[in-house]
Amino acid sequence: MKLDDDIHNYYEKLLLDHLVELRLDDEYDTEYLADLCCIVLNQLPPKYIRYEVDMAFYLPQTERFEMVMKVREAVTKAKGFLDTQRDKN
């Protein structure tokens, strides 16, 4: 078993979905996006899974909504932090 292939944090998927939704990859370079992802994921609790279908089937809709909202709040907070740091340089 290779852990990096078999297990991942579900918040990573939610984060990437949100970044695509915001089209941040059109606006920022990969260095900024990598920093943003690290800051966001460090604000969120891990939710490890093996298969996406498990989350789709077993996760209550209310819990998924809460997770999405946590991602959105964390992105806003992290983006504000990075933009402030960028303005200082």
Side-chain angles (χ1 to χ4, degrees):
M1 174 170 91
K2 289 185 64 181
L3 289 179
D4 59 338
D5 291 336
D6 293 339
I7 298 172
H8 63 280
N9 181 351
Y10 188 63
Y11 275 105
E12 292 172 5
K13 179 193 179 330
L14 296 178
L15 171 56
L16 293 177
D17 289 348
H18 189 55
L19 296 181
V20 168
E21 178 185 319
L22 294 174
R23 303 179 73 101
L24 292 182
D25 56 327
D26 293 339
E27 189 175 345
Y28 296 100
D29 63 21
T30 55
E31 292 294 314
Y32 179 95
L33 293 174
D35 288 343
L36 181 71
C37 288
C38 289
I39 293 169
V40 168
L41 290 169
N42 281 324
Q43 293 179 65
L44 300 168
K47 185 77 163 183
Y48 291 103
I49 63 170
R50 288 190 63 197
Y51 307 107
E52 295 289 328
V53 69
D54 291 342
M55 292 303 283
F57 188 72
Y58 293 110
L59 186 68
Q61 196 65 15
T62 54
E63 188 176 344
R64 186 177 195 292
F65 178 76
E66 288 175 19
M67 291 173 75
V68 167
M69 294 309 295
K70 286 180 182 179
V71 168
R72 290 179 179 190
E73 291 169 12
V75 167
T76 299
K77 193 173 172 181
K79 194 171 172 319
F81 173 77
L82 284 176
D83 292 346
T84 300
Q85 296 304 309
R86 179 191 277 185
D87 291 343
K88 288 181 181 179
N89 295 328

